[in-house]
Amino acid sequence: MQDEVQDPPAPPSSPPTTSEPVEPDEPFRPAAPVRPEIAVDIDVVVVEPPPRFGRPGPPMRRSPLIIGFTAGLGLALAYTTYLAVQNVRSILVLIFIALFLAIGLNPAVVRLRKWGMPRGLAVAAVGIGAMLVLCGGVVALIPPLVQQSNALIENLPHYIDNLQRSDQLNRLNEQYQLLDQLKNVATPGNVTKALGGVWGGVQVAFSAVFNIVMVIVLTLYFMAAFDRLKEGGYRLVPASRRDRVRLLGDEILTKVGAYLGGALAIAVVAGLASFVFLLIIGVAYPYALAVLVAITDLIPQIGATLGAVVVSIVGFATSIQAGIACVVFFIIYQQIENYAIYPTVMRRAVKVTDLAAILSVLIGVAVLGIVGALVAIPVVAAVQLLIREVVIPRQNSR
């Protein structure tokens, strides 16, 4: 039996070739070229123009000579600044008074602007009103003050003669001739010469008028440019802290304006009440004394007492009954003012404790005199606000 040899499988038959072309089902479309995605980084170089005055050089070596020379220049500059401030101290006080008045009168300007009045006209209206009040006070005080001063100078020798009625003074006069020497010295001519004479009086009057005019002009300028000055001050603060500083600054300015407005209202009430009372009891110069009471009432804590003492002395000079009536009236009125008028007016302005108020007034008087006493309370209120909103939270976060 022969093995059956299987034939290898035949290759697949190729399609029969024909002479006719075969048309494809779809037309031939060449493939779109592949675009490689390549990220290209382009560095933009900004060429800054050279500085106008050249580029700064390398820092100098910190040698002992350079350090000592720089420290000496700093001390000299500090001392020169101190001398300059001392020389212009009076001008700086006038600027400070004008700025304080502008802050206090700005709420009135804002109120008039809310009523539709332009800012320039509102500033003019508030300024004219303040000047009328000031002129009225000057007219009320100056003539009686000059008249009373002249009368005191003329009658001073007569008052010295009246002192001789005292037995103790007579014995001292017999031993040391004190009254005779005082009478020879206290003549109208010597007193006038001691006070500076006519030229000294003219200089004092001219200085007072100049200071008043300067304060009025500066106050009007500050009121007219109040918003621009405020925004300019805020721009000096870094941008990261500007919003918070603006909120704190606006709150401080609001408190200062509210305090000054409230203090003026309380002073006006005190002056009107004193004027009516002095008219009733028949004390001389009631209008001048009422203006004096209103001005002294602006001084916190002690001003009302000073005005009451002056008016009571004038009352006793008129008659014993008038003096006693003045003492009783001011005691009662001060209680009403301290416990009714002042808390009602100042409730929304400033809240300062009595101890802080007294200490601030004493420090203000020592630094700036009467001006320091007037601005002591709002300054303390501003310091309290900064401590409560800035210092205490910073300390608590540590």
Side-chain angles (χ1 to χ4, degrees):
M1 180 178 176
Q2 293 180 353
D3 294 331
E4 295 181 357
V5 179
Q6 295 180 355
D7 295 331
S13 61
S14 60
T17 59
T18 58
S19 60
E20 297 179 358
V22 179
E23 296 181 0
D25 296 338
E26 295 180 358
F28 175 77
R29 296 179 180 177
V34 179
R35 297 180 180 179
E37 295 181 358
I38 301 176
V40 179
D41 295 336
I42 301 176
D43 295 335
V44 179
V45 179
V46 179
V47 179
E48 297 182 357
R52 181 181 177 184
F53 299 102
R55 298 185 183 278
M60 301 178 65
R61 292 179 301 174
R62 296 182 179 180
S63 63
L65 179 62
I66 297 298
I67 295 175
F69 182 73
T70 305
L73 286 179
L75 291 175
L77 180 61
Y79 183 69
T80 304
T81 304
Y82 170 76
L83 294 179
V85 171
Q86 289 294 324
N87 292 331
V88 299
R89 183 174 182 271
S90 59
I91 303 299
L92 294 178
V93 171
L94 296 180
I95 295 174
F96 180 76
I97 295 173
L99 184 59
F100 183 75
L101 292 177
I103 294 174
L105 295 176
N106 187 66
V109 177
V110 174
R111 181 65 59 85
L112 292 178
R113 291 190 65 189
K114 289 182 179 179
W115 292 348
M117 188 178 295
R119 182 169 185 84
L121 187 59
V123 171
V126 174
I128 291 174
M131 285 188 290
L132 289 177
V133 173
L134 178 63
C135 292
V138 171
V139 171
L141 288 176
I142 296 301
L145 181 62
V146 173
Q147 184 177 0
Q148 293 292 328
S149 300
N150 292 333
L152 177 62
I153 293 174
E154 293 292 336
N155 296 326
L156 190 59
H158 177 67
Y159 294 150
I160 295 175
D161 290 336
N162 293 334
L163 293 176
Q164 294 179 352
R165 299 176 182 178
S166 174
D167 296 335
Q168 184 67 28
L169 289 178
N170 285 331
R171 286 193 293 269
L172 292 175
N173 186 35
E174 291 177 358
Q175 296 178 2
Y176 304 103
Q177 290 79 34
L178 295 178
L179 294 179
D180 294 337
Q181 295 179 8
L182 181 60
K183 186 176 180 180
N184 294 330
V185 172
T187 60
N190 291 336
V191 173
T192 303
K193 185 178 180 180
L195 295 177
V198 177
W199 178 244
V202 171
Q203 287 181 334
V204 171
F206 179 78
S207 177
V209 172
F210 174 79
N211 291 338
I212 292 174
V213 172
M214 286 298 299
V215 169
I216 292 174
V217 173
L218 290 175
T219 302
L220 293 177
Y221 273 109
F222 286 147
M223 289 171 59
F226 188 82
D227 294 336
R228 288 189 285 107
L229 292 175
K230 183 176 67 173
E231 291 300 325
Y234 290 154
R235 290 176 184 173
L236 299 177
V237 182
S240 59
R241 302 180 180 180
R242 191 170 299 164
D243 294 336
R244 179 170 173 78
V245 171
R246 180 179 284 105
L247 293 175
L248 292 173
D250 290 344
E251 182 67 18
I252 291 174
L253 294 178
T254 301
K255 286 184 176 295
V256 173
Y259 170 79
L260 185 55
L264 289 175
I266 295 173
V268 169
V269 172
L272 290 176
S274 302
F275 178 71
V276 173
F277 171 75
L278 294 175
L279 278 180
I280 293 174
I281 65 175
V283 176
Y285 305 111
Y287 182 63
L289 294 176
V291 172
L292 179 63
V293 169
I295 293 175
T296 56
D297 200 74
L298 292 173
I299 303 175
Q301 303 297 323
I302 60 175
T305 303
L306 293 176
V309 169
V310 174
V311 176
S312 299
I313 292 175
V314 176
F316 278 110
T318 303
S319 65
I320 300 297
Q321 294 81 1
I324 295 175
C326 290
V327 172
V328 173
F329 167 77
F330 282 107
I331 290 176
I332 297 175
Y333 177 78
Q334 287 185 15
Q335 301 306 313
I336 297 174
E337 180 181 298
N338 293 334
Y339 294 101
I341 300 176
Y342 193 89
T344 302
V345 175
M346 292 296 184
R347 184 178 294 114
R348 297 182 180 180
V350 292
K351 295 181 180 179
V352 179
T353 61
D354 293 338
L355 178 60
I358 294 174
L359 293 178
S360 63
V361 170
L362 294 177
I363 295 174
V365 170
V367 175
L368 294 177
I370 299 298
V371 178
L374 294 176
V375 303
I377 301 298
V379 169
V380 171
V383 172
Q384 287 183 348
L385 177 64
L386 294 177
I387 292 175
R388 184 175 64 250
E389 297 296 335
V390 178
V391 178
I392 294 178
R394 182 176 297 176
Q395 296 297 327
N396 292 335
S397 62
R398 293 182 176 179

